[in-house]
Amino acid sequence: MLPYGRQSISEDDVAAVADVLRGDWLTTGPQVDAFEADLARWTGGVGVAAVSNGTAALHVAYAAAGVGPGDEVVVPPMTFVATASSAVALGAKIVFADVDDETFCLDPAAAAAAVTSRTKVVAAVDYAGHPADYDALRTSVEGSDALLLADAAHSIGGTYHGRPVGSLADLTTFSFFPTKNLTTAEGGAVAALDPEILKRARRFRGVGVVRERGDLRFPDEGGWHQEVHEFGLNYRLPDVLCALGRSQLRRLGEFTARRSALVARYDEALADLDGVLLPNRRSWADPAWHLYPIRVLDGRRREVYDRMRAAGIGVQVNYIPVHWHPAFADLGYRRGSCPVAESFYAQQLSLPLYPGLSDADQDRVIDALTAAVRVGSVRSAA
């Protein structure tokens, strides 16, 4: 089965991990600080806190933003459930706002309509690696105290109006799962424009422990002394995985270029395939292309999915609208509330896309998709 996404591990990656395993640090050590500094070179210098996974990054970011009971968080439904569930875990109410009909990122007009005096965070999602329209989203939250969060699990290495992902919102979260644009096996990170919010993020990911003498309430207890002022969780990313991340970052430009080249090949090969729509790109965006999301028309997505899988092509659907999950349905959320996202879901299919995908294997995908779409079309015509 040809997967829809896959990590790219080199001998340099293996050597970087082995070096740490032979050293003195496995958990929090010098590789953590170095990885955060390396990441900041991709965020335009915005400070970063490494965490244990992408869901942890969201939980940490919402906590650092002060999200709690009684607060509202605006979320688009076209995302993985963690963008919403991690805010629910802090006691927030989720307000779903629909996506636009070109990029399927959060619609700024829908976001503006969803903002109230209780809104703490508006969370945009860079769907498939295409940045959301952050300047328009800034306008959407004007007049409120809401912070803007970018869920950039798909988009590290991308740019918006020439500005790097990680510098576009008050808070940005990354994921380094194996199928993402770089990997630490499991891992993630939070970037924050405000140093105080970044400080809160780092404390929350470290169980809330305060060690800085100037912040201690009882600074003269002794060298062992530490305090917890606000509760946090252990979301630390260990040295051994940060070493892998540092090695991967050295190839992020190469990964991004290969993904773009594969997207260009798909665009050219599938441009005239009836019954399929290809992903859009805004002129102001340079996407990182985590996914290649096509739309299969005429209610045939399930049929094409099954045919592709039977042919050994590991297509995927990204994503089930978050408010459709039973956990949210049980809270009173209803289908039909976000029609653009729901219509897109009914058609969406992700084709394999990862740096190690060869041209020959991509041609297999193209041939299998063409056959799956045309076989059904011929049958319908008959």
Side-chain angles (χ1 to χ4, degrees), residues 230-249:
E230 295 180 274
F231 296 121
L233 294 168
N234 180 359
Y235 281 150
R236 295 186 295 262
L237 187 65
D239 243 40
V240 65
L241 297 185
C242 285
L244 174 57
R246 294 188 71 200
S247 183
Q248 288 266 301
L249 273 174

Side-chain angles (χ1 to χ4, degrees), residues 7-346:
Q7 69 271 18
S8 177
I9 301 297
S10 70
E11 288 304 313
D12 286 344
D13 296 336
V14 174
V17 171
D19 284 346
V20 173
L21 290 172
R22 295 187 185 101
D24 295 328
W25 299 90
L26 290 181
T27 55
T28 303
Q31 291 295 327
V32 177
D33 290 341
F35 182 47
E36 291 176 348
D38 289 350
L39 279 169
R41 285 192 274 274
W42 287 91
T43 64
V46 176
V48 178
V51 298
S52 54
N53 56 64
T55 300
L58 287 158
H59 197 192
V60 168
Y62 288 137
V67 171
D71 293 329
E72 294 178 352
V73 174
V74 176
V75 175
M78 190 42 56
T79 183
F80 184 60
V81 66
T83 311
S85 61
S86 53
V88 174
L90 290 164
K93 175 185 177 183
I94 301 301
V95 179
F96 289 105
D98 213 347
V99 297
D100 75 56
D101 60 2
E102 291 189 17
T103 66
F104 304 99
C105 298
L106 179 62
D107 182 347
V115 169
T116 72
S117 61
R118 295 181 297 279
T119 305
K120 198 75 169 185
V121 173
V122 172
V125 175
D126 294 345
Y127 181 77
H130 190 295
D133 191 349
Y134 287 99
D135 289 346
L137 287 166
R138 282 283 181 199
T139 302
S140 298
V141 301
E142 282 181 358
S144 77
D145 295 326
L147 295 177
L148 183 60
L149 181 145
D151 181 342
H154 295 180
S155 61
I156 189 169
T159 64
Y160 168 85
H161 288 293
R163 288 138 48 197
V165 168
S167 68
L168 308 172
D170 298 301
L171 288 150
T172 304
T173 62
F174 299 108
S175 172
F176 307 132
F177 189 73
T179 59
K180 297 300 195 300
N181 298 38
L182 70 105
T183 189
T184 57
E186 288 277 6
V190 178
L193 299 181
D194 185 337
E196 285 302 311
I197 292 179
L198 182 62
K199 185 177 181 180
R200 286 174 55 87
R202 285 180 169 156
R203 284 187 178 170
F204 188 86
R205 65 108 188 252
V207 202
V209 170
V210 177
R211 293 189 176 89
E212 301 88 345
R213 181 176 173 81
D215 293 336
L216 294 173
R217 295 186 188 177
F218 303 96
D220 298 321
E221 289 293 304
W224 66 86
H225 187 62
Q226 60 188 23
E227 299 170 354
V228 173
H229 299 172
E230 295 180 274
F231 296 121
L233 294 168
N234 180 359
Y235 281 150
R236 295 186 295 262
L237 187 65
D239 243 40
V240 65
L241 297 185
C242 285
L244 174 57
R246 294 188 71 200
S247 183
Q248 288 266 301
L249 273 174
R250 296 184 190 108
R251 290 190 290 146
L252 180 56
E254 172 190 327
F255 291 161
T256 303
R258 178 57 180 164
R259 286 176 179 274
S260 293
L262 290 166
V263 166
R265 291 189 88 244
Y266 273 138
D267 285 348
E268 181 178 4
L270 301 176
D272 298 322
L273 182 59
D274 290 337
V276 168
L277 295 178
L278 307 186
N280 292 307
R281 171 180 168 176
R282 297 285 180 88
S283 61
W284 38 253
D286 186 6
W289 293 121
H290 166 59
L291 302 174
Y292 189 81
I294 65 169
R295 283 178 281 169
V296 181
L297 306 180
D298 304 319
R300 299 185 57 221
R301 193 269 307 276
R302 173 64 182 273
E303 173 195 342
V304 171
Y305 172 93
D306 288 343
R307 288 183 179 278
M308 295 284 282
R309 285 269 174 164
I313 308 298
V315 291
Q316 186 56 279
V317 173
N318 304 97
Y319 295 95
I320 298 166
V322 177
H323 61 296
W324 283 20
H325 286 289
F328 282 96
D330 291 347
L331 292 173
Y333 295 90
R334 294 290 177 259
R335 299 187 180 205
S337 59
C338 294
V340 178
E342 294 174 41
S343 175
F344 176 64
Y345 162 70

